[in-house]
Amino acid sequence: FVLVREIIKVKSVRAEDLTHDVAYARIASFQDNTAEELKAIVEKKAKTSKGLILDLRDNPGGLLDQAVKVVDLFIESGVIVSTVGRTEKDVEREYAHKKGTYADLPLVVLINGGSASASEIVAGALQDHERALLMGTTSFGKGSVQTLVSLPDQSGLKITVARYFTPKDRSIQAKGITPDVVVTYQQGEVKPEGTRKESDLKGHIESHDLSDLAKTSGISTEIEAWPAGAKQDNQLVAAYSFLRSMRFFDGKKMKMPVTR
């Protein structure tokens, strides 16, 4: 047979239907058409779904403009992200627009330590605007902008030229985004030795509360119909349980205690 070299195009957004009108969309990375792919999914689900789980776990980032457009799908106005250079005057801000916004769709965003850069911009913006509930574990903390300078000897020098800040001027760099509700991937998951996580902080929210909700509200029966891998995903179970319970929703805003 003849093997032909060809560019393999992989969709950056994967969607699934969970039971009881809860939609699920996973963004693997932010590529050229990410926002359009997600918009097509949201347009299809917005009228029938009672909520959307946006999964940004292990998303290393990608194109900034696509991250901005993804946020713009869910908020009507305000700053999405600020890029601050080496001087106070060197500031660029991206803003949301009301047109084409799905402001009423309940939203839960999943993040973890593998969520970096553009995915942290999305999570931070939706959190600052109180547009989504963030679940999972603290993100990676990649909030810097680099540029590559070519040198005469064909080598290159990467220079940090700016940093990203959330709408409330929180720095992402080396801090990451802390979720509103800390939930580990598996019940009783143990963190590596020497690492400090949200669970070490005084007054943190225990991860088992929302999973227990699934056991006591009849939601566990629905989850039993999921594939085996999904049923073992404690973070996905917690997000689904929250959207099904709708206990903290008040219109477009999420009524959750501030834990950060």
Side-chain angles (χ1 to χ4, degrees):
F1 63 93
V2 178
L3 186 63
V4 180
R5 293 173 64 95
E6 188 174 348
I7 296 175
I8 300 174
K9 296 182 179 180
V10 180
K11 284 190 174 183
S12 62
V13 185
R14 175 174 62 87
E16 292 182 11
D17 280 324
L18 301 178
T19 52
H20 276 277
D21 301 324
V22 175
Y24 169 89
R26 168 170 168 72
I27 300 179
S29 62
F30 290 88
Q31 303 173 15
D32 289 335
N33 297 317
T34 296
E36 285 300 318
E37 290 177 18
L38 182 61
K39 182 179 180 180
I41 293 169
V42 174
E43 282 182 345
K44 184 178 179 181
K45 305 295 183 183
K47 294 182 180 179
T48 58
S49 294
K50 296 178 181 178
L52 171 67
I53 298 172
L54 183 61
D55 192 347
L56 300 179
R57 292 176 296 177
D58 297 316
N59 180 325
L63 300 177
L64 173 63
D65 70 306
Q66 292 300 303
V68 169
K69 289 178 180 178
V70 165
V71 176
D72 203 7
L73 288 174
F74 301 107
I75 64 173
E76 296 179 325
S77 62
V79 175
I80 293 176
V81 63
S82 298
T83 306
V84 181
R86 294 180 177 272
T87 66
E88 293 182 359
K89 295 182 179 180
D90 187 11
V91 179
E92 294 183 5
R93 292 185 175 89
E94 299 288 347
Y95 292 89
H97 308 85
K98 186 173 183 178
K99 184 178 180 181
T101 300
Y102 298 88
D104 297 321
L105 182 65
L107 184 63
V108 172
V109 177
L110 295 178
I111 59 172
N112 66 4
S115 306
S117 194
S119 58
E120 293 177 288
I121 289 171
V122 172
L126 294 174
Q127 186 181 54
D128 279 3
H129 283 280
E130 298 181 20
R131 178 59 185 86
L133 180 75
L134 267 58
M135 285 186 174
T137 54
T138 301
S139 63
F140 184 81
K142 172 66 168 63
S144 58
V145 185
Q146 283 83 33
T147 185
L148 185 63
V149 179
S150 298
L151 300 178
D153 62 356
Q154 305 302 313
S155 63
L157 177 64
K158 185 176 284 188
I159 302 174
T160 299
V161 295
R163 290 188 179 185
Y164 293 128
F165 290 83
T166 71
K168 290 186 177 180
D169 293 331
R170 292 186 293 151
S171 174
I172 297 172
Q173 179 61 26
K175 294 181 179 179
I177 300 297
T178 301
D180 299 299
V181 180
V182 175
V183 185
T184 54
Y185 180 75
Q186 293 180 327
Q187 287 281 16
E189 186 176 25
V190 179
K191 63 181 182 297
E193 288 294 329
T195 59
R196 188 168 184 266
K197 295 294 185 180
E198 176 75 6
S199 57
D200 297 317
L201 301 179
K202 183 179 179 180
H204 73 277
I205 298 175
E206 295 293 343
S207 64
H208 62 266
D209 291 340
L210 284 171
S211 295
D212 287 347
L213 174 64
K215 299 175 184 177
T216 59
S217 63
I219 297 174
S220 58
T221 304
E222 302 163 9
I223 294 171
E224 280 301 313
W226 292 5
K231 287 189 288 188
Q232 296 172 359
D233 186 340
N234 193 47
Q235 294 165 337
L236 180 59
V237 169
Y240 178 79
S241 300
F242 176 82
L243 287 175
R244 287 283 286 112
S245 68
M246 299 294 289
R247 291 186 302 168
F248 300 111
F249 273 108
D250 179 18
K252 303 174 186 177
K253 300 292 184 179
M254 306 292 298
K255 296 300 181 182
M256 287 295 297
V258 177
T259 60
R260 55 190 182 278

